[in-house]
Amino acid sequence: MSGPPTGGDRESGVPAGGERLSTAPAGGGRVSGVSVLGVRHHGPGSARAVRRELERLRPDAILIEGPPEADALVTLAPGLEPPVALLAHVPAEPSRAAFWPFATFSPEWQAILYGTSAGIPVRFCDLPAAHSLAGDPDGPDEPEPAQVDPIGSLAAAAGYDDPERWWEDVVEHRDGDTPFEVIAEAMAAVREGHEPGGREARREAYMRKTLRAAVKQGFGRIAVICGAWHVPALTGPMPSAAADNAVLRGLPKVKAELTWVPWTYGRLASWSGYGAGITSPGWYHHLFDAPDRPVERWLAQAAGVLRDEGLAVSSAHVIESVRLAQSLAVLRGRPLAGLGEVTEAARAVLCEGDDLAVELIQRRMVVGDRLGHVSDGTPMVPLQRDLREQQRRLKLKPEALDRELDLDLRKPLDLDRSHLLHRLALLGVGWGTPGQARGKGTFRETWTLRWRPEHDLALIEHAALGTTVAGAAAQRAADLAAEPSAALADLTSLVERCLLADLPEALPDVLAALSAKAALDTDVTRLMAALPAMVRAHRYGDVRGTSAEGLAVIVRSMLERIRVGLPVAVTGLDDEAAADLLKHVDAVHSAVALLPDTTPDGAPDGASDGASDGASGGAAEGAGPRGRWLSTLRGISDRQDLHGLIEGRLTRILLDSGELDDAGDRMSRAMSRGQAPARAAAWVEGFLAGDGLLLVHDPRLLALVDGWLSGLPGDQFTDVLPLLRRTFGGFAAPERRAIGERLRSAGRDEGEGEQDVDERRAAAAVATVLSIIGKASG
């Protein structure tokens, strides 16, 4: 159903290779023969006109532009809720697919509904999808490469500078009275001298072939619904049947399957298989559903949308906006106010010039959030059908607009919903986008749900993986784990996703691949980047009731490799490398805190098993994960060759963990006069990274920083100021105020101390002063 957005029709006698197809004028006369109704795809005026013309013609067969493999799907149309689309795909290669969308206001859809309600055979007459999907050189979804813009030419001839506005005035705003014959004659004039080639020639040849076959089968009154650009090819002097067959001979062919899938107005606005996408499907839907006083009804609905958002819009606003829209239409010589006029009226009166309010109307009404629906009898792959059943069971209705979903994983229903959304994410079906949970508990999840038509295609692409969403997701996880290019971080993330999706059957393959990759990877930064996801996965085994067998062994193995490699990794780093490594250190430290702090044999932290890897010494060697990790950091922190940023951060981590009682001494050494100011500033930055509460509650450390900073010479202070500003700028505003108050308080106390007088020691001085001034002491 590709073609330029054109309209019009002409019917005349058509010789075809010695045969003559009897045609009838669209406006009256005989009702026998072939009537070709040229339309604009997705045009509400064309849709009403086609319905009226079919009711007048009462044909005994209807041919519609579209893939003929979909003929068997026509009978399902009355049970569908548009917008919907025909989806054609190659079973062996589902990503090769094409869509043919239909809306309520599509002329082809109205022709289908008329034919099915009247018991009239409805067939598609365009080039089969089997050829289009086989690698047609012009592509299955591209618009026709017309040499001229037919609408632009006709609009220019009528004195219009906007082709779309001309089409709306002469067709869409005529309340169903589309002048098929007149526009078709104009289209014939535009196409005069045009020789179709390539895909356009093949499409029109197949249309004529289908038309000849219908005549040969004995249908006496045939109505053809097609884009007006093709009307002259079906009504003018036509090539012979042999010539058309020669054009179609030897075309590549594949096996194609077709079905109906839901569509959205948002997708209809952005792309169309017709090659005739429209930017205002909501407006066109309104024109089709409300032919009576469409401007008044539209602006009243716009006022309702604004009121729903809390904006004050009165009936007087609506009345004045209607008057303005109608006045603009008169000034511009239009038979009816179009979308441009009602938008300008809404902007000036309803929205009072507020562009955000205009955008709201654009999103809610001009485009719309309508999502179509297909019936249960529609052909589906087992994966699609399983998802539909789960959507019903879990009470999750697919919708085209964003919907916020808060889940409490302690509830069975919400836990099942979470599993489904994570399984679909593994299959590339992004129905749900995870968000930031509002609570602090690990039992909460938030999602933003929005269904898109391409999700059906993703399900079809993965149909070979399994008949259920769970089975297909598990197989997909196993396939991803088996890929040679899978990195360590990818595999750890995959383990986490399997646990989130409750896919225990996929874990053995994924864990085996992860273990093999971790055993060979010697890059400590990659191991550190991968460990947090593994630890989170280990936790999910408790929170979600999912078995996490094998994870603990891999986590311990990775942590030991990190402990062995970290002392080397911190050597000889520049500022950028040190900052990057600290991010990994902080992440690993946070992850280790989540692990059960027991030794491999179940003993509590601190019970040595005699193991030693040489990473660090001390009593913590052989203890649980937390003790062994802190022992490694303690050993590194005592080195003299560390970057200041790393040394300061390790000191803070050990202090917060209760592993240091000499933090003040370490800070004094780091900020002594023997240290370069830049290194001292880096040490302070690492030590204070995160928050400033330590300085608020520890006067000694605050005094050390204050004394060091106030003792710097002017030039050195200027050098370290950017580092200090970055450090203190990262603190929350209340923390900065609290630090300032502590410093002010300390200064005030010091000042008051200087004013205190020891009267006993001052007595002699007082007596001397009194005698000098001639007063006796009392």
Side-chain angles (χ1 to χ4, degrees), residues 91-270:
E93 193 177 349
S95 59
R96 298 176 65 179
F99 297 89
W100 288 262
F102 297 88
T104 299
F105 49 82
S106 299
E108 298 85 353
W109 183 254
Q110 290 301 315
I112 290 173
L113 293 184
Y114 171 80
T116 53
S117 64
I120 300 172
V122 179
R123 299 176 181 175
F124 291 98
C125 61
D126 206 346
L127 192 69
H131 296 313
S132 298
L133 297 175
D136 192 74
D138 296 319
D141 304 320
E142 296 297 325
E144 293 301 328
Q147 292 181 348
V148 294
D149 174 13
I151 295 298
S153 299
L154 295 176
Y160 282 71
D161 58 359
D162 184 352
E164 291 298 311
R165 187 161 62 89
W166 173 82
W167 178 261
E168 287 192 355
D169 287 350
V170 300
V171 177
E172 303 303 337
H173 292 166
R174 294 177 64 92
D175 193 22
D177 184 24
T178 298
F180 288 117
E181 186 174 15
V182 174
I183 294 181
E185 288 178 354
M187 197 61 60
V190 172
R191 276 190 60 145
E192 186 175 357
H194 172 65
E195 291 294 333
R199 183 166 179 263
E200 180 187 359
R202 294 189 287 274
R203 293 183 61 213
E204 293 180 345
Y206 200 90
M207 290 180 189
R208 291 189 291 265
K209 179 179 179 179
T210 306
L211 180 58
R212 294 188 188 99
V215 173
K216 188 175 182 179
Q217 291 173 10
F219 293 110
R221 299 187 303 276
I222 303 173
V224 182
I225 316 299
C226 66
W229 175 256
H230 304 296
V231 171
L234 302 179
T235 58
M238 296 196 300
S240 65
D244 282 342
N245 290 336
V247 172
L248 298 171
R249 189 175 299 119
L251 289 180
K253 186 176 182 180
V254 294
K255 181 182 179 181
E257 293 184 0
L258 278 82
T259 187
W260 292 106
V261 295
W263 205 249
T264 66
Y265 276 176
R267 292 287 287 172
L268 197 63
S270 62

Side-chain angles (χ1 to χ4, degrees), residues 644 648 671 679-689 705 708 724 727-728:
M671 295 186 298
R679 188 184 189 282
W683 196 99
V684 172
E685 180 180 2
F687 184 78
L688 298 179
V705 175
W708 168 74
L724 294 173
T727 301
F728 285 88

